[in-house]
Amino acid sequence: MANGIAIVTGCAAGLGYELTRQLIGKGWLVCGVDFNEAAMRELDDEFDAGHFRGFVGDITDGAFVQQSLDQIGALGHVDLLINNAGQPSFKKPTDYTADDVARCLKGLTGMILWCVQTLKSCKETNLKIANVMSTAATRGNANESVYCAAKWGERGYTESLKAAYKGSSVSVVGVYPGGIDTDFYRDSHDYVPLDKQHSFMRADELATIILANLVNDLNLTVSDIRIDRNPR
């Protein structure tokens, strides 16, 4: 635990997994959060208990969030919270259902709940919060209306946190990646076909760039990280 304690939501796959793996490689204790119980068991087997603790549940379940933070807080002061969890829904504007809306908004709700409880656990001191969103939080995209709405909400929350903690020992970073080659699009291949998905950024390379900005010994804080893939 030489480098501190980090929480990573959505840790079991894609970018969240790479952030977890690379933080552990840097000597961090990562408290990983995900709803996929089977994948979390695999992480328990992959990483030793001195560097990984898994918490299986719904990021929008307030009781689960609080219980998790009670256990994590007993391990020591949390230094880094990475809100990475989220689910997409890419459809024509008239095709969205209530379930689609609820699924897209889980990322925003979970982000808020984990920030609130982690800030309380840390007594609002010496904490870095990184909210992983999307370039969809910076523009409107056709057939992503609800997804963009959720990401713009996450961006608004992130900017409000920055204002609330300006000048304090709490720093807040907005992370805005473009498309990533992961299973994030597995239910949307009519919108993002496999060949297009495979032209997106690699999750391991993206995680390296993000952590280089988040975790360093420099006397600076990067307030926003926007990363676009190279055009092909």
Side-chain angles (χ1 to χ4, degrees), residues 6-13 16-17 20 30-36 40 43 52-60 64-65 68-69 72 81-85 114:
I7 299 171
V8 179
T9 69
C11 71
Y17 168 78
T20 297
V30 176
C31 297
V33 182
D34 206 285
F35 68 89
N36 189 327
M40 291 293 277
L43 296 191
F52 180 78
R53 304 290 177 90
F55 296 82
V56 181
D58 183 343
I59 59 167
T60 66
F64 166 68
V65 177
S68 299
L69 260 301
I72 295 169
L81 167 64
I82 302 180
N83 284 301
N84 169 74
W114 281 91

Side-chain angles (χ1 to χ4, degrees), residues 134-135 139 177-182 185 197 199-202 206 227-229:
S134 165
T135 52
R139 60 175 182 256
I180 312 169
D181 186 6
T182 71
Y185 302 98
Q197 175 190 314
S199 72
F200 291 171
M201 294 179 284
R202 286 175 41 174
L206 179 58
I227 307 172
D228 294 305
R229 68 184 186 275

Side-chain angles (χ1 to χ4, degrees), residues 5-232:
I5 298 175
I7 299 171
V8 179
T9 69
C11 71
L15 178 60
Y17 168 78
E18 285 298 334
L19 291 167
T20 297
R21 183 182 67 81
Q22 292 185 30
L23 279 168
I24 290 172
K26 294 176 181 293
W28 286 69
L29 168 60
V30 176
C31 297
V33 182
D34 206 285
F35 68 89
N36 189 327
E37 186 173 358
M40 291 293 277
R41 284 198 298 269
E42 293 179 4
L43 296 191
D44 285 334
D45 292 337
E46 181 176 357
F47 303 121
D48 67 84
H51 289 95
F52 180 78
R53 304 290 177 90
F55 296 82
V56 181
D58 183 343
I59 59 167
T60 66
D61 181 338
F64 166 68
V65 177
Q66 183 168 354
Q67 291 166 8
S68 299
L69 260 301
D70 288 344
Q71 296 177 52
I72 295 169
L75 300 173
H77 183 88
V78 177
D79 304 281
L80 175 64
L81 167 64
I82 302 180
N83 284 301
N84 169 74
Q87 297 184 55
S89 184
F90 304 135
K91 294 185 175 183
K92 295 177 181 178
T94 54
D95 288 343
Y96 279 101
T97 66
D99 287 342
D100 296 325
V101 175
R103 182 166 61 253
C104 278
L105 290 177
K106 273 183 173 288
L108 172 58
T109 303
M111 177 184 291
I112 294 171
L113 294 179
W114 281 91
C115 283
V116 168
Q117 293 302 329
T118 305
L119 284 161
K120 287 181 178 180
S121 177
C122 294
K123 302 186 184 333
E124 298 177 272
T125 59
N126 300 319
L127 173 66
K128 179 172 284 186
I129 298 172
N131 289 335
V132 179
M133 293 166 275
S134 165
T135 52
T138 67
R139 60 175 182 256
N141 296 326
N143 298 331
E144 297 183 20
S145 55
V146 175
Y147 182 68
C148 285
K151 295 304 170 184
W152 279 66
E154 292 173 16
R155 181 183 178 187
Y157 179 69
T158 299
E159 292 300 315
S160 294
L161 279 186
K162 288 181 184 180
Y165 290 100
K166 184 178 180 180
S168 76
S169 60
V170 174
S171 58
V172 182
V173 181
V175 183
Y176 303 92
I180 312 169
D181 186 6
T182 71
D183 283 342
F184 188 74
Y185 302 98
R186 65 184 178 274
D187 296 325
S188 305
H189 281 150
D190 56 334
Y191 177 59
V192 181
L194 274 173
D195 58 342
K196 181 178 180 180
Q197 175 190 314
H198 292 327
S199 72
F200 291 171
M201 294 179 284
R202 286 175 41 174
D204 57 342
E205 295 176 345
L206 179 58
T208 298
I209 296 299
I210 291 172
L211 292 178
N213 284 276
L214 289 182
V215 179
N216 56 60
D217 296 324
L218 302 176
N219 184 27
L220 56 84
T221 297
V222 176
S223 60
D224 287 301
I225 306 170
R226 174 166 174 162
I227 307 172
D228 294 305
R229 68 184 186 275
N230 290 330
R232 289 187 180 180

